[in-house]
Amino acid sequence: MAPRDPKEDGFGVGGGGAADPDADIEAPLLVSSGSSFLLDPALEDGGGGDEEQRRRRRRFIHGSHTHSNTTSQVALVGTDVCPIESLDYELIENDVFKQDWRARGRGHILRYVALKWALCFLVGALTAAAGFVANLGVENVAGAKFVVTSNLMLDGRHGSAFAVFLSSNFALTMLATVLTVYVAPAAAGSGIPEVKAYLNGVDAPNIFSLKTLIVKIVGCIAAVSSSLHVGKAGPLVHTGACIASILGQGGSRKYHMTCRWLRYFKNDRDRRDLVTCGSAAGIAAAFRAPVGGVLFALETVSSWWRSALLWRAFFTTAMVAVVLRALIDFCQSDKCGLFGKGGLIMFDVTADYVTYHLIDLPPVITLGVFGGILGSLYNFFLDKVLRLYNLINEKGKTYKLLLAATVTVCTSCCLFGLPWIAACKPCPTDTGEACPSIGRSGNFKKFQCAMDEYNDLASLFFNTNDDTIRNLYSAGTDDEFHISSILVFFVASYFLGIFSYGLALPSGLFVPVILTGAAYGRLVGMLIGSQSTLDHGLFAVLGSAALLGGSMRMTVSVCVIILELTNNLRMLPLVMLVLLISKVVADAFNANVYDLLVRLKGFPHLEGYAEPYMRQLSVSDVVTGPLQTFNGIEKVGHIVHVLKTTGHNGFPVVDEPPFSDTPTLYGLILRDHLLVLLRKKDFIHSCSASTLKASNHFSHAEFAKRGSGKHDRIEDIELCPEELEMFVDLHPFTNTSPYTVLETMSLAKALILFREVGLRHLLVLPKSSKRAPVVGILTRHDFMPEHILGLHPFLFKSRWKKVRLGKVKVADIF
């Protein structure tokens, strides 16, 4: 794939660049000693030094204007490498927009506000329905598979049982993989990195398309039902975002499914808010955690937040909870097959009255410390496995299918073979549940044991993830699992979760980490539980919190989700303590898993902080040329030539004599708007100001933003030679108030302005009025560390560095 033009509208760095592969992603805890770096006095203006130093100084001062960006403008979206571009949250204040704004009365504003709430209601209801369908499918497909396998085991036909188990898992995995590879590659993975990048201002083709939505739901059902250690929480976040984006696109002109009201949402700002609400609804649908969903969107995926958005996100997740409650009540009358025993049902399985004392703190602290270590190791191994998978996947579609087939066969062999090493246990006499549980979900799987015995390891492996979590969370089950079975299950689920993620199919990380953490908590409870009064089921809950905090580094949202899952508020202090400890410990090793995935995929994510070296540079030091501008009245042929030969998406418009006394910056015009003008062919014959009123010939809807990933192409516009010799007046369509900065502003200050306002282009003006009216344009790409350090590699040691064990000496800290 050919790289895009380096100054394309804020496209970000793909995968390559000059940055250290171990460069930190999160905001730092400590600056390394290199952060006190200052420019060599010989390099400063007026300084001495030999000829080589003077040449270095000239390169430092002028190099940014003579070097062009050559870094990649693509990212890994799903399983395919795709071109990416920036979103634009700035109001385009041209004459057409101003006229449309003046025409809007009080009724327009009321309809706009009402439509916002109506769309939030639809997003919540449809996401709840999608979550219900996903859980319904998993419960029935996986349940039928386990019932058939258990019945064959009951008859002693062990070989047939393994054949059915293996073939069904293989078929389901291949179904999910084929759909993803050949229909919607953007549906692969959890989708949370893509949603996080979109809400940071990065757009990519088909990440929210209708076919991506359908493949995400169907593929998620197949992948989770195939006994791969993947979850449905991440795919449901992507599903909610897809639903929100599709509703916010204003319908379809092609299929005549649009109305005038929906034009209000044909902009990146309102779509961003809807996608934020959709991501919150996804978590609410996955865990029936409306408050946790709002906090997840705030803490993990969103880059911009305000109080009005908080209210709408909360309303959206509340609708999810209401619709799910209605659908679950419908299933209580056995109308949904095997559905109803897990999935959307809360894990309200811990003791009604949880008591803990001071003696319980050391085991809980130990749980948090080792949870942080295991979580950071989980991220480390996942990083290595994903890099390996990327090397395999880039070889072609056949290799993607072979990789998925290999992993599902190995997983099936592992799940079916490991229970044979576990000893049979006699059924407890004081349980209210059938033992062994035959033909249904439950804690007691017979497997190869006698009728009055059960296999505890098979009870963990031969259940859906939701039912296994329920079993591990259950109170009063301290004697139902042997410590060796819990150890085997923990090790197996830990590594199966790592190897299952990264395949070319929809897969989430949230539920596998919860499941592995529950096994880890049970194991710790068995090892040191004698020193505590806590139940093993409560240790499992705290273990899930510890591993989530160690891997994902979410604290507030995970805390609330765990409490909503278990329906037990009394655990709040212990969950808070475990999360805080595990996050602090894990932060000493590496970054959280979602930032890791965003970095691996190559999304140009703008962080909310500035690196120290950015304060040593001005914006003129990173602006690269050449700069392409248009005159206020420009020749059509020149516009077509520039659009065909460059990939720029924003062009400064400069008025020159005789239309102004001196060259003057009039504003900024976008590529999409130029394409509208060329398609409309409203040209003039001479290079003179047009006397026609633009609002009479153009409507604001014609300049509205199209759906995500949809763009016009200059190659699709046909112009005759006579039209190429004509002119077009750009003044009515130019944004006359673009954001601008002086070339002397520090790069750090410009970054804060760029990110907080949500810009796509930031014009750089000269300090002196005797120079050209505009020096250059800053885009998202110009703030990427790979680009900056590529231009000025001597600043490499001035990056933020976290305290990483083994990397920073104690003497450096003090």
Side-chain angles (χ1 to χ4, degrees), residues 39 60 612-622 743-750 788-789 791-792 794-795:
L39 290 177
F60 174 74
Y613 59 75
M614 291 186 178
R615 300 197 178 277
Q616 303 174 36
L617 298 174
S618 63
V619 294
S620 61
D621 295 322
V622 298
E743 61 180 341
T744 55
M745 176 182 282
S746 71
L747 191 60
K749 195 173 181 180
I788 300 172
L789 297 176
L791 291 175
H792 311 289
F794 55 86
L795 296 173

Side-chain angles (χ1 to χ4, degrees), residues 248-259:
Q249 288 181 8
S252 172
R253 295 181 186 175
K254 179 179 179 181
Y255 299 105
H256 306 288
M257 300 173 59
T258 185
C259 67

Side-chain angles (χ1 to χ4, degrees), residues 278-337:
S279 64
I283 287 293
F287 299 115
R288 272 184 63 199
V291 179
V294 175
L295 293 176
F296 172 83
L298 169 62
E299 186 177 8
T300 304
V301 296
S302 66
S303 296
W304 292 275
W305 197 265
R306 60 186 189 282
S307 58
L309 180 58
L310 175 65
W311 279 105
R312 284 196 292 273
F314 185 70
F315 173 75
T316 305
T317 57
M319 291 303 101
V320 173
V322 171
V323 173
L324 281 181
R325 182 70 267 172
L327 293 173
I328 291 173
D329 288 341
F330 173 77
C331 284
Q332 294 300 319
S333 56
D334 296 329
K335 296 180 180 179
C336 300

Side-chain angles (χ1 to χ4, degrees), residues 190-273:
S190 68
I192 292 180
E194 284 79 2
V195 174
K196 184 180 177 72
Y198 180 87
L199 295 179
N200 190 256
V202 180
D203 194 13
N206 299 319
I207 57 173
F208 297 137
S209 66
L210 181 60
K211 64 179 181 180
T212 299
L213 171 63
I214 296 174
V215 171
K216 199 77 177 184
I217 297 174
V218 177
C220 176
I221 294 173
V224 176
S225 301
S226 68
S227 294
L228 289 175
H229 268 56
V230 297
K232 51 186 179 288
L236 280 177
V237 171
H238 195 184
T239 298
C242 286
I243 292 172
S245 179
I246 292 172
L247 291 176
Q249 288 181 8
S252 172
R253 295 181 186 175
K254 179 179 179 181
Y255 299 105
H256 306 288
M257 300 173 59
T258 185
C259 67
R260 189 180 179 189
W261 285 16
L262 293 176
R263 67 188 176 94
Y264 296 133
F265 289 87
K266 291 188 176 182
N267 61 81
D268 291 332
R269 296 180 306 281
D270 289 320
R271 289 174 186 168
R272 173 191 66 188
D273 291 349

